[in-house]
Amino acid sequence: MTPVTPAPPVGLDHVRTIADAVLYEGYLLYPYRASSHKNQSRWQFGVLGPPHAAPGSFAEDPGMAMQTLLQISGEPSADVPQVTVRLRFLQLQVREVQRLDEDGGHTPVAGLDVAGVSVLSWDEAVECELDLGAVPLSGEDGATDELRTVPGGEETEPLTDEAGVTVGRVVRRREALTARVRTRTTRDDGFLRLSVSVDNEHAGTATDKDAAIRASLIGTHLLLQAHGAGFLSLREPPDEAAPAAARCEQRRCWPVLAGAKGSTDTVLGAPIILYDHPEIAEQSPGALFDSTEIDEILTLRVMTMTEEEKAEARATDPRAREIIDRCDTMSPGDLQQLHGLLRDPHGPRPGPAASAVGDLRDAEPAAFDTGGAPWWDPAADAAVSPGSDAVMIEGVAVAKGSLVRVHPSRRADAQDLFFAGQVARVTAVLSDVDGGVHVALVLVDDPAADMHDWYGRYFYFAPDELEPLPDRTDVPGTPGTPGTPGTPGASEKPQSPEHRKETPS
């Protein structure tokens, strides 16, 4: 079939790779087979459901909207500053396999074996990209309103066996989609706010889940490109733009600067929250679609699939076939690339002269020699000793055996609420590979504190979540108290290193 997507616009190739990752994130989940229960539903982001959907169809909200800030170039130009807007999404396409009956009719089936190849029914997708044209940035408040339709369609492909005899057919159907895109420009503190909203205006009524997803825009996102103006970062706005940036509102769509680092001409409005100038990891050989799964683990899982499972995955979708084939042909060197890099958090820090190289966050720290010890073993870095290291909190050195009061503030775990105000005993001060400090502790009033300490089941908090307390000898579980491990007469339990968890979970 002929895709509705036009040729990629010139100047957007540098952001298309990351935009495609957004477009297909969650498209198909491991084990990439149509028969897998989790692949019976769509798990993608940016789904704009039909507005007239029955409650039982579980359709998603039909709209999304974003706001971003621009600064008009001060250089004189005959051209009016403007922003081009492109809307990208997937249009679901039903692929129905039908068996040819003796009477000449056709019966829908889950799959057919044709010439030794499995052909399966499945809901695939077609990429759509709509060029909404240019939004003028004349400096005055303005608005545009565009209604665009992506046509539906139906195509039939015959299926023939080894002898050339027709045994069935594949019917592909797409529902027509209608999208409305509105833009509005307003002034705010000397900057220009650009608002963009997208709404699914499908006219039909979706009565069930399948009808709703077929009338949805899937993986919806926006690409904005400025001419004669520059976008401002909303994540790290300049001081003078911070109030205006704080007034920008987002609904299911978050704008970030895209393209080469330092550039300000392109914004990606994504249905997931990203950082400015997002990139695909250079170690990643290709997309896996499986909603933020770790590439290495997922690749190893694909390699363990049986040949029958791989055959079904290949028959499910052409993109699944690419994943299976890529994983099957990876060399040991390719697989090692997925393992990532170990960087030394204690390495030499660049001096003032190093600022000439640009953003220091782009600098690659040197890998360090672990002396043959596993990277996660404290023995790999002689500069740290969790059992004797200390961290300064409110001018007090806190180390193993210190008492602290817990004041959770990070909300990293729902259980933090139960720890608020509790007295705890520090068991170790640890550093992670990124240079962060974590304080391991057990609660003094926990009846199982001794047991947790024995097998290394600790709670981890940041130093700023702890209040140092004076040593007390009347609190069970503290040094010097009878019955406390480490106190004469106490029942000592072996501190086996292999049973201790020395890194924060």
Side-chain angles (χ1 to χ4, degrees), residues 109-189:
V109 293
L112 283 177
D113 189 74
V114 181
V117 177
S118 181
V119 183
L120 303 178
S121 294
W122 173 251
D123 286 351
E124 51 196 18
V126 175
E127 294 182 21
C128 301
E129 182 169 318
L130 305 180
D131 186 344
L132 284 308
V135 177
L137 306 176
S138 60
E140 302 296 331
D141 293 356
T144 65
D145 190 332
E146 293 281 343
L147 186 67
R148 296 296 179 89
T149 298
V150 176
E154 177 174 318
E155 291 88 28
T156 300
E157 174 190 347
L159 297 174
T160 57
D161 62 14
E162 299 93 329
V165 177
T166 300
V167 296
R169 64 184 183 182
V170 176
V171 180
R172 291 179 170 87
R173 302 188 188 92
R174 298 173 309 284
E175 187 95 7
L177 301 176
T178 302
R180 183 179 295 276
V181 180
R182 298 181 177 93
T183 70
R184 186 178 74 257
T185 55
T186 54
R187 284 285 175 182
D188 188 340
D189 265 358

Side-chain angles (χ1 to χ4, degrees), residues 80-98:
V80 176
Q82 60 184 18
V83 170
T84 55
V85 180
R86 291 179 175 86
L87 174 66
R88 305 180 78 228
F89 55 90
L90 294 177
Q91 178 186 30
L92 190 132
Q93 178 171 264
V94 177
R95 186 183 73 210
E96 184 178 80
V97 177
Q98 299 179 353

Side-chain angles (χ1 to χ4, degrees), residues 22-37:
V22 171
L23 183 65
Y24 282 101
E25 184 65 20
Y27 172 75
L28 189 62
L29 305 182
Y30 171 87
Y32 307 112
R33 303 195 312 270
S35 62
S36 175
H37 287 297

Side-chain angles (χ1 to χ4, degrees), residues 19-330:
D20 285 346
V22 171
L23 183 65
Y24 282 101
E25 184 65 20
Y27 172 75
L28 189 62
L29 305 182
Y30 171 87
Y32 307 112
R33 303 195 312 270
S35 62
S36 175
H37 287 297
K38 62 181 178 181
N39 284 324
Q40 305 303 308
S41 299
R42 287 282 162 181
W43 300 99
Q44 290 185 255
F45 300 97
V47 177
L48 306 188
H52 308 295
S57 67
F58 301 102
E60 297 203 36
D61 189 290
M64 67 191 311
M66 54 157 274
Q67 292 182 333
T68 187
L69 292 178
L70 294 111
Q71 192 166 35
I72 306 298
S73 172
E75 298 179 3
S77 173
D79 299 326
V80 176
Q82 60 184 18
V83 170
T84 55
V85 180
R86 291 179 175 86
L87 174 66
R88 305 180 78 228
F89 55 90
L90 294 177
Q91 178 186 30
L92 190 132
Q93 178 171 264
V94 177
R95 186 183 73 210
E96 184 178 80
V97 177
Q98 299 179 353
R99 182 187 62 234
L100 178 62
D101 298 329
E102 292 182 359
D103 61 2
H106 290 83
T107 301
V109 293
L112 283 177
D113 189 74
V114 181
V117 177
S118 181
V119 183
L120 303 178
S121 294
W122 173 251
D123 286 351
E124 51 196 18
V126 175
E127 294 182 21
C128 301
E129 182 169 318
L130 305 180
D131 186 344
L132 284 308
V135 177
L137 306 176
S138 60
E140 302 296 331
D141 293 356
T144 65
D145 190 332
E146 293 281 343
L147 186 67
R148 296 296 179 89
T149 298
V150 176
E154 177 174 318
E155 291 88 28
T156 300
E157 174 190 347
L159 297 174
T160 57
D161 62 14
E162 299 93 329
V165 177
T166 300
V167 296
R169 64 184 183 182
V170 176
V171 180
R172 291 179 170 87
R173 302 188 188 92
R174 298 173 309 284
E175 187 95 7
L177 301 176
T178 302
R180 183 179 295 276
V181 180
R182 298 181 177 93
T183 70
R184 186 178 74 257
T185 55
T186 54
R187 284 285 175 182
D188 188 340
D189 265 358
F191 302 98
L192 198 64
R193 175 180 291 111
L194 173 62
S195 304
V196 185
S197 66
V198 182
D199 291 283
N200 182 351
E201 296 204 353
H202 183 77
T205 300
T207 57
D208 57 31
K209 183 179 72 172
D210 290 338
I213 194 63
R214 290 166 187 171
S216 298
L217 282 63
I218 303 171
T220 312
H221 59 280
L222 292 158
L223 287 177
L224 311 181
Q225 197 168 30
H227 307 272
F231 290 103
L232 300 180
S233 169
L234 297 188
R235 291 183 59 85
E236 298 181 80
D239 292 342
E240 63 273 17
R247 288 188 286 271
C248 288
E249 297 180 353
Q250 321 301 338
R251 179 167 62 92
R252 304 182 69 206
C253 185
W254 291 268
V256 294
L257 298 176
K261 289 188 177 181
S263 63
T264 60
D265 63 333
T266 306
V267 153
L268 169 63
I272 54 179
I273 299 176
L274 301 169
Y275 47 85
D276 283 333
H277 305 292
E279 297 176 321
I280 300 296
E282 60 182 272
Q283 294 87 0
S284 179
L288 291 168
F289 307 144
D290 202 344
S291 296
T292 70
E293 285 282 359
I294 299 173
D295 282 19
E296 181 183 29
I297 295 176
L298 202 52
T299 299
L300 291 171
R301 291 294 300 165
V302 170
M303 290 178 171
T304 65
M305 292 168 60
T306 66
E307 291 305 316
E308 292 76 12
E309 290 172 332
K310 291 178 181 178
E312 183 186 345
R314 289 186 174 100
T316 296
D317 192 281
R319 294 176 180 87
R321 182 187 304 118
E322 292 176 7
I323 291 173
I324 301 299
D325 291 345
R326 183 175 69 242
C327 292
D328 268 358
T329 57
M330 287 187 71

